[in-house]
Amino acid sequence: MKIISSAALLTVVLFFITETQAQVPSAIIDPAERGYTLQPEQRAYALTQRQLYPSVIFSADEKGLKLDLGDSTLYGRLHYGPAYFDYVNSDYYEARFRSRSDIKKGKGLLEINSYFKKESLSNVNHWTTSGTFGFRLELMRIRDGAPVTLGVFDGRVDFRKTASGYATPLSIVEGPIVGCIQSDHPEWMLIGFDTDRMSTGMIELEEIGVYPDLSVSLHHEITIGNLQPAHRYRYRAVAIVGTDSVITPWMSFKTAPVKGKGTVVFAYSGDGRATTGGGENEYIGVNRTTITQIAKQAFRRGTDFFLFGGDMIGGYTSSAEDFTLMLKAFKTTFSGYMNSVPVYCAVGNHEAHYFGYADARGKKVNIDKYPYDSLSSEAIIAREFIQPSTGPDAYPGMPTYKRNVYGFQYGPVKSIVLNTDYWNTSANAISTFGGSPEGYMLPNQVEWFERELKAAEADPTVKYIVLLAHEPFFPNGGHASDAMWHFGDNTVRSYRAVNGTMTPFDYGVIDMRDRLWEVISRSKKVAAVLGSDEHNYHRSLITNTTPVGVPELDDLNHDGILNDGRFSPDAKFTHPTWFMVCGGAGAPYYTQEPTPWSGAVKKFTAQNNYFIFTANEKKIGLEVFNANGQLLDAVPDLLEVRKK
Ligand SMILES: [Fe+2]
């Protein structure tokens, strides 16, 4: 199965060229019609994706590979070493740097000869005629006479020895990444990888055979079928162009058990976007330091999958180049984990790729970029992440839900992932141009969710349900001003153009929160509702006595805003239900803020954190660890509170 054929890739390129002339989607009004001017794309990073492709920046040399970034203003260092360091003795692959050289005027040398000298202590992978380097470009530029640090950019380059020196035949620059490993179809899953030249690709399963993708593309996404449930397979990726080919070391993945069976261990964390601190704390929009710590610990704890709660990247960009570069940086950071174990991501507010507008007074408005089927935040996420396509159909003239809203089952656990940052427009412009505020879900997603929950409730193979939405239902530290609360403002909602007239949706964000929570609390199986967005950990027990604010009871002056001093409980919250936030994968920390439901908070800490859930026949339990692996909190049986 492929998501980008070469023809589709060409279409995307054409869209990039003609995007400003693209037809305005029917659900919005073009800000340009109201005196706003489209702002030029702003890039934040010094390199493009292509400038990390070996086929673009490396060429043959008798000593190794010559680097030419095509930009004479760049200086710095080229670090390099084996990409799959000592793979014979590793189960989690990463590069280990061993050598470095200077970059001057955008040029440098990746020297290889020394790795092949008899007395070499560097050739850990015992290369004979070919191999794979991981490389790091540590860059700076002189601006106004002073050096400006541009950060680090990592890549991979495959090489082979030739009669006259070295060559880069073709490189696998991303992946392989496993995806869609789930009990809904334990007999098949997906593996994706990217190459730096148009290639054909295949996945080889050890002692079983090959699964080819014969179409010529930079991206390969291959369906691996005829698999046994709960079985570990060894595999490797192969890419071919002409008479050249490259191959990865052997890796492995484990298929899901049949529905309802097995003990399942899975991780959850969110908000891994960059923070201050320099270096790997701000690696192309990603906090590589913390995500790496968490990914490695989750891997070592034997997790079957990882739920990630959104805000993978700094995002918020008008540049498709930067948006994609950041998403790829997130995947590269998680790469050692994703070689073997799937990561299921939710969309956060930072996953925003937009058209930026400004009026004559400098008022700014951002709207989700179109054409929606190729350039919206949602479409780019769908291209970059291998995730289920089980979400609802979008309304005409709106972005896709495919691969950003979905449910999947793993053993006895059903996970439902929502998109609470869909079709986003700047808060101050939604009622003028159309779009959605943070935390709001349109009726088609709400109804899809209710159907999904009802089906899971009725399915005897589903013992536990876990719900994930980036925007917290009950924020406690950093986002009481938005999420699903907006400081009590129930006038907050989405708008769309109907026959050219801006039309609000029927319900406000707090009505929506309460409707959803009423349904969630009726279910006997919902073990936890997970949020992210707030960069801390908190666990609250929401019951029918928790003061949550009810619009029909508490809006005493009827202005639509719950700020009149009364916050009632919702009597329709049937069972006590855990709401937990784990926005602890590295974004700037937030401490606690007061909310009407502060009394329901059982635990709060601003530490970086991740969750480990363990579900078996009898119960589903939770442990919360900080990024150092210290146990912060535990709930041995999450459904215990519903049995009382
Ligand atoms: Fe967020």
Side-chain angles (χ1 to χ4, degrees):
M1 190 184 296
K2 289 187 55 57
I3 57 168
I4 303 186
S5 64
S6 50
L9 199 70
L10 184 64
T11 309
V12 171
V13 171
L14 288 174
F15 275 133
F16 275 87
I17 295 165
T18 59
E19 64 182 52
T20 53
Q21 298 127 42
Q23 199 176 5
V24 180
S26 58
I28 62 167
I29 287 174
D30 184 2
E33 286 178 19
R34 304 283 167 86
Y36 283 77
T37 308
L38 181 63
Q39 302 299 292
E41 276 192 14
Q42 295 284 331
R43 287 219 57 215
Y45 299 103
L47 297 187
T48 63
Q49 189 59 38
R50 266 178 64 77
Q51 285 175 302
L52 292 171
Y53 283 175
S55 57
V56 174
I57 58 173
F58 287 110
S59 58
D61 187 84
E62 68 277 6
K63 296 185 205 145
L65 302 172
K66 281 192 295 191
L67 170 76
D68 186 352
L69 295 169
D71 182 342
S72 63
T73 67
L74 294 174
Y75 290 79
R77 276 178 169 166
L78 167 63
H79 306 265
Y80 54 98
Y84 307 102
F85 177 76
D86 192 20
Y87 61 84
V88 173
N89 294 302
S90 301
D91 60 0
Y92 192 104
Y93 296 140
E94 58 189 340
R96 188 158 173 193
F97 301 115
R98 187 69 172 83
S99 315
R100 71 172 168 229
S101 61
D102 289 339
I103 298 171
K104 291 178 183 164
K105 297 188 176 181
K107 294 184 178 175
L109 177 70
L110 192 157
E111 193 272 342
I112 304 178
N113 273 344
S114 59
Y115 283 77
F116 287 102
K117 284 188 180 146
K118 238 194 214 158
E119 67 277 16
S120 171
L121 298 178
S122 308
N123 192 1
V124 67
N125 286 350
H126 308 293
W127 294 328
T128 53
T129 56
S130 62
T132 312
F133 277 103
F135 67 87
R136 167 167 292 182
L137 306 169
E138 185 185 13
L139 296 177
M140 54 172 276
R141 181 176 270 148
I142 307 295
R143 195 177 289 151
D144 299 329
V148 177
T149 302
L150 302 173
V152 295
F153 301 84
D154 289 359
R156 249 192 244 154
V157 54
D158 283 276
F159 72 91
R160 69 175 156 73
K161 287 177 92 164
T162 65
S164 57
Y166 298 92
T168 57
L170 169 71
S171 293
I172 293 177
V173 291
E174 180 181 288
I177 288 170
V178 301
C180 292
I181 297 179
Q182 52 198 84
S183 300
D184 310 87
H185 46 70
E187 72 282 4
W188 68 265
M189 48 79 75
L190 296 166
I191 300 179
F193 62 92
D194 286 5
T195 56
D196 69 332
R197 292 170 204 217
M198 300 295 267
S199 64
T200 55
M202 67 176 79
I203 296 296
E204 180 186 355
L205 285 201
E206 190 178 42
E207 295 176 3
I208 292 178
V210 296
Y211 294 78
D213 174 11
L214 297 176
S215 55
V216 178
S217 179
L218 295 175
H219 179 72
H220 299 285
E221 195 171 302
I222 301 176
T223 305
I224 313 297
N226 298 319
L227 302 172
Q228 298 298 316
H231 187 81
R232 184 163 289 281
Y233 292 87
R234 294 226 310 160
Y235 80 97
R236 56 186 179 178
V238 183
I240 301 164
V241 59
T243 55
D244 277 323
S245 64
V246 293
I247 194 161
T248 65
W250 287 104
M251 302 177 182
S252 77
F253 65 86
K254 193 178 85 184
T255 50
V258 295
K259 284 182 170 187
K261 299 293 178 199
T263 295
V264 178
V265 182
F266 61 100
Y268 171 59
S269 194
D271 282 76
R273 66 183 173 86
T275 183
T276 51
E280 296 201 346
N281 296 304
E282 35 196 317
Y283 175 80
I284 317 182
V286 170
N287 188 335
R288 178 166 274 193
T289 308
T290 309
I291 293 180
T292 302
Q293 284 176 298
I294 287 173
K296 286 182 177 176
Q297 289 180 42
F299 184 81
R300 207 51 65 204
R301 290 179 194 281
T303 45
D304 296 300
F305 63 91
F306 200 124
L307 291 172
F308 201 89
D311 285 2
M312 285 86 84
I313 58 169
Y316 278 124
T317 176
S318 58
S319 160
E321 180 70 50
D322 277 0
F323 192 60
T324 309
L325 200 63
M326 284 188 262
L327 293 173
K328 287 189 176 299
F330 174 81
K331 288 187 285 179
T332 310
T333 301
F334 243 116
S335 178
Y337 187 95
M338 292 167 99
N339 288 155
S340 309
V341 191
V343 178
Y344 292 91
C345 295
V347 171
N349 55 300
H350 279 263
E351 276 74 60
H353 175 227
Y354 52 68
F355 280 131
Y357 288 86
D359 72 2
R361 289 167 299 162
K363 184 183 167 189
K364 290 183 176 164
V365 168
N366 298 331
I367 62 169
D368 201 3
K369 200 175 267 194
Y370 55 83
Y372 289 149
D373 58 359
S374 57
L375 287 181
S376 63
S377 313
E378 293 81 0
I380 294 178
I381 295 278
R383 264 207 303 278
E384 293 296 326
F385 288 88
I386 303 174
Q387 309 199 125
S389 300
T390 55
D393 292 330
Y395 292 124
M398 291 196 196
T400 185
Y401 285 118
K402 301 304 176 194
R403 291 191 166 203
N404 62 76
V405 174
Y406 52 90
F408 68 96
Q409 190 170 343
Y410 200 105
V413 180
K414 171 85 178 189
S415 300
I416 302 176
V417 179
L418 299 169
N419 183 351
T420 48
D421 290 288
Y422 172 78
W423 191 46
N424 195 253
T425 292
S426 304
N428 61 359
I430 291 165
S431 61
T432 315
F433 304 120
S436 283
E438 294 184 24
Y440 195 87
M441 288 186 282
L442 300 174
N444 52 358
Q445 190 180 170
V446 169
E447 287 156 15
W448 172 88
F449 167 72
E450 289 173 346
R451 284 196 303 275
E452 197 77 357
L453 190 59
K454 202 171 165 187
E457 192 70 16
D459 184 340
T461 70
V462 175
K463 289 194 172 61
Y464 316 108
I465 302 169
V466 171
L467 308 175
L468 169 57
H470 176 75
E471 298 289 335
F473 281 73
F474 300 99
N476 280 302
H479 283 286
S481 57
D482 48 76
M484 294 190 197
W485 182 235
H486 292 263
F487 285 144
D489 189 348
N490 195 39
T491 68
V492 169
R493 63 196 62 199
S494 300
Y495 283 70
R496 67 173 158 180
V498 178
N499 300 323
T501 304
M502 265 306 122
T503 309
F505 281 83
D506 290 342
Y507 51 85
V509 68
I510 298 167
D511 290 328
M512 181 207 78
R513 180 201 66 175
D514 292 347
R515 170 180 166 175
L516 288 172
W517 202 265
E518 286 163 17
V519 175
I520 290 166
S521 69
R522 270 205 297 278
S523 160
K524 292 190 176 61
K525 300 179 181 175
V526 175
V529 180
L530 307 177
S532 197
D533 203 26
E534 301 190 304
H535 314 148
N536 42 48
Y537 165 65
H538 53 88
R539 171 168 62 88
S540 303
L541 189 64
I542 306 298
T543 74
N544 60 7
T545 61
T546 308
V548 293
V550 178
E552 57 264 34
L553 300 176
D554 299 335
D555 182 15
L556 302 177
N557 65 358
H558 303 291
D559 64 352
I561 304 171
L562 308 190
N563 59 355
D564 307 324
R566 191 166 83 186
F567 300 102
S568 299
D570 188 331
K572 291 186 222 150
F573 288 181
T574 309
H575 294 104
T577 306
W578 289 116
F579 175 71
M580 295 181 281
V581 156
C582 173
Y589 64 82
Y590 299 150
T591 53
Q592 192 166 5
E593 63 185 321
T595 59
W597 46 85
S598 289
V601 179
K602 308 291 184 196
K603 177 84 181 177
F604 186 104
T605 166
Q607 299 226 19
N608 289 329
N609 67 94
Y610 67 98
F611 293 5
I612 296 288
F613 289 94
T614 305
N616 57 32
E617 292 275 309
K618 292 198 178 89
K619 63 179 184 177
I620 179 168
L622 168 72
E623 294 169 292
V624 180
F625 298 93
N626 71 9
N628 302 326
Q630 177 193 342
L631 185 68
L632 297 174
D633 194 19
V635 182
D637 182 354
L638 286 163
L639 286 176
E640 182 76 30
V641 291
R642 301 199 151 200
K643 292 172 190 159
K644 287 174 184 165

